[in-house]
Amino acid sequence: YQRRVRGDDNELTYYRRLHEFWSTLCIGDRIAIATLEKDLVILKMKEQQRITCNCDCCTQERREFEVDVEECFAIYHDELIRMDMRNDYGDKLSQMPLEECTLNEAEFVFYWSLSSDGHQISVSPELVEGGALFIDLLESSQYDDMDEDFYDQNFEDIQAATDDLEEVQLAWGRLLVGRKFFQTFIARMFEERLLVAYREKLAFDKQQKLIAEEEEEERLRKERDENRQLARQRKRDRKKEQKKAAADRKKQEEEECFKAEQRKQEQELIQKIEE
């Protein structure tokens, strides 16, 4: 999940299209895209390591990396569960005009919107329903403007669990670093899911267009065939009519000849009688 270079025309077009696609989705589809299985997040993070060698040293290093990822993510995930239980983000988001947020405010919104029920990580309904803001959050690469009061609350929670200052500092440092990393990583996974849905929609639309073009081509082909059949039938009908007309004229001529011959014979017979 590498970040793209911001400001590029292709980058702007890319997110503009995601904006347009997001606006066409129903709430149910948006929620499905903005929901991640916790185990899937851990699996994807483990896949980010570039250690491919299978020697004992690299295998051990890979295992240590995976353990470290799991431990750090567990800390962050516990925080998301507490967010879900406290539901503070809903109160904060409900007080913010989401569509009017600046970029930094939007990053703050994303921080407060993430939560977990223990199995799935999701964003708040307010954010999912908040139009294009969700895409703005995915476009943003910085999530530094965190709420200091919530930071202090987390620090007090850690400090209350132990009197070991060094352990408190270590856990707190892991929380800060892990929070930024995991939040950014989750945002990239949301973006990837949205991109997959967008590509599937493009593929579906392309397929439907091809089907429509094939159906139109088939309709035109049938129409051409029907027109050719009608033309041939008209030609046959004209020939039949012409043949019948010729036969009728011949019959009429024969009848007229027969009548003329009869009149001639009658006249000859009359002349003989008179003589």
Side-chain angles (χ1 to χ4, degrees):
Y1 299 100
Q2 296 180 350
R3 193 73 185 105
R4 299 174 179 83
V5 178
R6 300 191 65 176
D8 182 80
D9 289 341
N10 291 333
E11 174 79 355
L12 297 176
T13 301
Y14 166 79
Y15 280 106
R16 178 177 58 80
R17 289 176 178 173
L18 288 188
H19 271 278
E20 294 171 354
F21 174 63
W22 180 257
S23 66
T24 65
L25 296 177
C26 65
I27 298 301
D29 290 338
R30 292 184 184 184
I31 292 175
I33 290 173
T35 302
L36 295 169
E37 295 292 334
K38 180 195 72 172
D39 294 340
L40 178 62
V41 176
I42 297 176
L43 177 63
K44 290 295 184 181
M45 284 188 293
K46 289 180 179 180
E47 292 176 353
Q48 299 305 302
Q49 62 174 319
R50 294 182 172 83
I51 303 173
T52 57
C53 177
N54 292 323
C55 69
D56 293 341
C57 181
C58 291
T59 299
Q60 179 62 27
E61 186 177 349
R62 182 165 53 249
R63 288 174 180 170
E64 291 175 356
F65 171 82
E66 292 177 353
V67 170
D68 192 49
V69 166
E70 290 179 355
E71 291 178 351
C72 290
F73 185 76
I75 297 174
Y76 176 71
H77 188 250
D78 288 342
E79 177 182 319
L80 295 184
I81 294 177
R82 290 197 300 273
M83 293 274 283
D84 185 64
M85 294 175 63
R86 289 171 55 186
N87 201 28
D88 286 348
Y89 65 90
D91 296 336
K92 287 183 176 290
L93 292 178
S94 64
Q95 300 170 8
M96 300 186 68
L98 298 184
E99 296 298 337
E100 300 176 5
C101 288
T102 65
L103 185 58
N104 287 338
E105 290 172 337
E107 294 162 1
F108 173 80
V109 169
F110 187 68
Y111 163 70
W112 278 103
S113 71
L114 286 175
S115 63
S116 175
D117 62 2
H119 303 285
Q120 293 182 325
I121 298 172
S122 59
V123 297
S124 68
E126 290 86 353
L127 183 58
V128 171
E129 298 171 5
L133 179 59
F134 180 69
I135 311 301
D136 292 335
L137 300 177
L138 300 185
E139 185 176 1
S140 171
S141 60
Q142 300 296 325
Y143 299 97
D144 292 330
D145 297 334
M146 300 301 179
D147 182 74
E148 293 182 1
D149 293 337
F150 190 65
Y151 267 52
D152 293 340
Q153 179 63 45
N154 279 287
F155 183 81
E156 292 172 2
D157 291 343
I158 295 173
Q159 193 172 28
T162 177
D163 294 329
D164 189 331
L165 181 60
E166 183 176 351
E167 184 177 343
V168 170
Q169 291 174 339
L170 177 62
W172 181 237
R174 275 192 165 190
L175 178 62
L176 295 182
V177 175
R179 177 184 288 165
K180 171 61 182 288
F181 171 77
F182 294 127
Q183 185 169 299
T184 303
F185 190 85
I186 288 172
R188 299 284 69 74
M189 288 190 68
F190 283 148
E191 181 178 332
E192 185 67 19
R193 288 170 68 87
L194 180 59
L195 183 59
V196 169
Y198 173 65
R199 287 172 175 168
E200 289 177 350
K201 179 65 166 55
L202 288 182
F204 176 79
D205 289 345
K206 184 178 180 180
Q207 183 182 34
Q208 292 301 110
K209 183 179 179 181
L210 289 174
I211 292 174
E213 289 175 351
E214 290 176 355
E215 290 177 347
E216 178 64 12
E217 184 178 348
E218 179 66 14
R219 185 188 68 80
L220 293 175
R221 185 189 65 78
K222 288 182 178 180
E223 185 177 318
R224 288 193 298 269
D225 290 344
E226 290 175 358
N227 289 336
R228 282 194 292 266
Q229 290 177 3
L230 287 173
R232 287 194 292 267
Q233 184 63 41
R234 292 193 191 100
K235 188 176 181 180
R236 286 193 296 267
D237 291 343
R238 282 196 301 270
K239 287 183 176 180
K240 187 176 180 180
E241 290 173 358
Q242 291 171 356
K243 190 175 181 179
K244 183 177 182 300
D248 291 342
R249 284 195 301 271
K250 184 178 180 180
K251 182 178 180 182
Q252 184 178 2
E253 290 173 356
E254 290 176 348
E255 289 177 350
E256 290 177 353
C257 288
F258 177 75
K259 290 178 179 179
E261 183 66 24
Q262 278 185 332
R263 286 195 296 271
K264 182 180 179 181
Q265 290 177 0
E266 288 175 355
Q267 290 176 356
E268 289 177 352
L269 181 60
I270 293 172
Q271 287 178 359
K272 286 181 179 181
I273 292 173
E274 291 177 349
E275 290 178 355

